[in-house]
């Protein structure tokens, strides 16, 4: 099978292109997704390829176009809505929480909302407090929708396909720092497994649970720890909801120590939820209190040194692990 | 499922007789409620539970004497499902009393800081967390500490783990029934358990029971006995010189340690201060005719025992040496005799081998004194205006002020000193 080298950005595009090419019902809408190619140039070129009927620019009205996506999905289409970043998606939360997530339930299963919503998330690029937050954990709070977070180039492409196959609303959170990431993939796109977390690095001393933009940091941390003789296992959640706790517990049964690395804030966040579920189902496996490495409890700063200090880092992960593996 | 165990109702209680059950299976009990009457050497005691729940099963019949720590009844805690306790145990018959053992469920015991995973592992291995030293923050016991403790068990103990799997047909080395099923069954093995896997759990339970006994005894001592402490540095030049000469003419295996000189000196000094060779019987001193010096022996798994050498004052140094070696080896293999445990009239403790220079012991009730010896060290010693380098030992006496006082106690230490200056008379 021939392979192709893609960036994360191109991989998402390849996923979108595959969706548009293979399913007539699929179309893309969002702010500047047409000629401009979207804020992160993900859809660049698709307008030329598929035309304005299927690559649709929208006004700056997140609630409006996410709602339109829900309507289109109810009507049998396969809308792929791009919201610029998770920060702006708050404007659409009413549509997401009250409509997208509830309609299958409220219609007694008569209606489904096969909607895909993509957006960028995360900090690390000096875009300041209104463009740098990681709010995907908020979405993971809501039953009725799935939340995915591709951390690799392959998942960036394959998750679009997997999301399209799902009969319910799926939200994909692409970490903005990952777009330039490059990898070699099979030329032919295929859906990836979104039902399970995946072990990205085998290890026996501590389990690092992470996702999205923090995966690379955890792998770096694991490399650094290995130099000190500490063998870290790294789990990429892939899907934030529904959470695959079994994979985490399987790892914990081996390592007995766990650190959750999540770029969201610590208080009331996804890391806390994972921690609680580990307590509920894996208490007897623990040899050390569950640890979390999260963003500082501040709006993400603009200044580089402050932003670096506020976000989870490989160094922070290493420091926490060294405290607990004694 | 919580276990209701035979409690240690006194410092010197090793076993108790269950006289009467005040509750029956199915009865609801709440924490603090009296559920049974137990007969001890001292009294009939009403025993309370520390668990709120429903009596699931009574395991010991009235009239039966069982060791401290034996499970007397199982109590289903509120909210716990009915039926067999832990799945691994489900296939077993109810544990015979003598083999069953207390676990973490015994609420009377102090809280042990241990990680959940380590606790789980300790249960699997039949180790009592109270006997494990923790390496984590605040002494928290981690998995590796349990593993270390498990590895420190005697080879006899480790063997069954190695043997359990490959043996398709267990050799009839012992009837499985004798010791009963392990309290916490190890990971289910393909073969039925022989009596061997019980050994670790029994030993560890003994160790845990011992820790509880020490706790009870020492607490009682400090609560009830008004200790006072005296210390004296003893010049050991004569003793050591004599010992060196004596040992030179002995085969290596027959050589004496200076410790036996100390023990013998204590025994002889007691003849001169007999009120220290005694026990306190609640409100009065009871002197003992025989001088049975107990020697504190630390155990490898933690804890200590202080069995006695009977009629210490009448034994030759050789006999003492043999008795001492024998006592240490039997103490560490858990085969002391009850008389050795119950008859000491005074205790000698020495932490010398650890480098400690002086030790002020806590009296072991109902005894009224404990003698401590530190490490023998060379120190400047002034004799007749000259500074000499002399081997010296720090001797201490912790005594019960109810029965003696500083004057008499000084006479005792002085006698020990004097006796050690004439080693050939010992």
């Amino acid at each position: 099978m021939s392979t192709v080298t893609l960036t994360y950005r191109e991989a998402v595009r390849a996923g979108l292109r595959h969706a548009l090419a293979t399913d007539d019902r699929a179309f893309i809408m969002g702010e500047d997704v047409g000629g401009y190619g979207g804020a992160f140039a993900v859809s660049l070129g698709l307008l030329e390829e598929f035309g304005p009927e299927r690559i649709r620019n929208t006004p700056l009205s997140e609630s409006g176009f996410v709602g339109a996506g829900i309507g289109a999905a109810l009507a049998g289409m396969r809308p792929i809505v791009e919201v610029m970043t998770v920060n702006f998606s708050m404007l659409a939360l009413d549509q997401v929480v009250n409509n997208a997530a509830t309609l299958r339930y409220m219609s007694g299963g008569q209606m489904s909302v096969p909607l895909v919503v993509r957006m960028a998330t995360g900090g690390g690029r000096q875009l300041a407090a209104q463009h740098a937050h990681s709010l995907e954990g908020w979405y993971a709070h809501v039953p009725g929708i799935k939340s995915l977070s591709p951390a690799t180039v392959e998942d960036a492409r394959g998750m679009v396909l997997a999301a399209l196959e799902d009969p319910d609303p799926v939200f994909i959170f692409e970490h903005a720092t990952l777009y330039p990431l490059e990898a070699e993939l099979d030329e032919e796109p295929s859906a990836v497994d979104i039902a399970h977390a995946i072990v990205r690095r085998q290890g026996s001393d501590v389990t690092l649970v992470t996702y999205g933009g923090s995966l690379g940091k955890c792998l770096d941390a694991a490399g650094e720890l290995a130099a000190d003789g500490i063998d870290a296992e790294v789990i990429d959640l892939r899907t934030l909801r529904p959470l695959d706790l079994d994979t985490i517990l399987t790892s914990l049964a081996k390592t007995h120590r766990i650190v959750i690395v999540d770029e969201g804030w610590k208080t009331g966040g996804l890391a806390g939820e994972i921690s609680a579920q580990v307590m509920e189902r894996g208490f007897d496996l623990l040899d050390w209190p569950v640890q979390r490495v999260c963003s500082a409890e501040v709006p993400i700063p603009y200044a580089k040194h402050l932003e670096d200090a506020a976000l989870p880092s490989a160094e922070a992960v290493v420091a926490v692990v060294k405290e607990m593996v004694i | 499922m919580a276990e209701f165990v035979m409690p240690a109702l006194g410092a010197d209680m090793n076993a108790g007789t269950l006289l009467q059950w005040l509750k029956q299976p199915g009865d609801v009990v709440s924490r603090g409620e009296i559920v049974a009457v137990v007969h001890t050497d001292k009294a009939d005691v009403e025993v309370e539970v520390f668990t709120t729940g429903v009596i699931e099963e009574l395991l010991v019949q009235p009239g039966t004497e069982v060791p401290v720590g034996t499970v007397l009844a199982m109590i289903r805690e509120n909210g716990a499902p009915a039926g067999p306790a832990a799945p691994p145990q489900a296939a077993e018959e109810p544990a015979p009393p003598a083999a069953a053992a207390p676990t973490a469920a015994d609420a009377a015991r102090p809280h042990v800081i241990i990680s959940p995973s380590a606790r789980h592992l300790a249960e699997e291995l039949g180790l009592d967390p109270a006997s494990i030293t923790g390496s984590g923050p605040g002494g928290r016991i981690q998995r590796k500490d349990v593993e270390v403790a498990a590895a420190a068990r005697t080879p006899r103990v480790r063997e069954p783990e190695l043997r359990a799997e490959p043996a398709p047909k267990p050799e009839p080395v012992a009837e499985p029934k004798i010791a009963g099923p392990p309290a916490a069954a190890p990971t289910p093995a393909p073969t039925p358990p022989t009596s061997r896997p019980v050994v670790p759990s029994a030993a560890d339970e003994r160790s845990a029971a011992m820790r509880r006994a020490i706790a009870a005894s020492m607490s009682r001592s400090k609560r009830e006995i008004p200790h006072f402490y005296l210390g004296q540095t003893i010049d050991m030049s004569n003793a050591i010189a004599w010992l060196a000469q004596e040992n030179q003419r002995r085969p290596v295996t027959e050589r004496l340690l200076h410790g036996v000189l100390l023990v013998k000196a204590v025994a002889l000094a007691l003849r001169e201060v007999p009120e220290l060779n005694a026990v306190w019987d609640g409100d009065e001193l009871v002197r003992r005719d025989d001088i049975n010096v107990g020697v504190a022996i630390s155990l490898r798994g933690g804890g200590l025992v202080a069995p006695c050498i009977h009629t210490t004052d009448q034994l030759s140094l050789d006999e003492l040496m043999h008795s001492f070696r024998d006592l240490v080896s039997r103490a560490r293999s858990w085969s002391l005799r009850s008389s050795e445990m119950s008859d000491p009239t005074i205790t000698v403790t020495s932490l010398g081998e650890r480098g400690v220079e002086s030790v002020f012991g806590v009296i072991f009730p109902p005894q009224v004194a404990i003698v401590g010896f530190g490490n023998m060290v060379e120190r400047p010693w002034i004799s007749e205006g000259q500074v000499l380098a002399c081997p010296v030992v720090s001797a201490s006496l912790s005594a019960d002020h109810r029965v003696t006082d500083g004057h008499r106690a000084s006479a005792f230490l002085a006698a020990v000193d004097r006796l050690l200056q004439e080693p050939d008379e010992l």
Side-chain angles (χ1 to χ4, degrees), chain A residues 256-257 283-284 286-287 326, chain B residues 115-117 140 142-144:
Chain A
H256 305 287
R257 281 149 210 260
F283 184 73
D284 278 338
L286 289 168
D287 206 13
I326 57 172
Chain B
S115 84
S117 164
R140 184 166 68 222
Q142 308 181 62
R143 278 183 76 86
K144 65 176 179 185

Side-chain angles (χ1 to χ4, degrees), chain B residues 234-241 258 261-262 376 391-393 420-421:
Chain B
I234 297 175
D235 175 11
M236 292 289 283
S237 304
N238 290 347
I240 293 310
H258 77 273
L261 300 182
L262 301 176
M376 192 166 63
V392 299
V393 154
L420 286 168
Q421 302 314 314

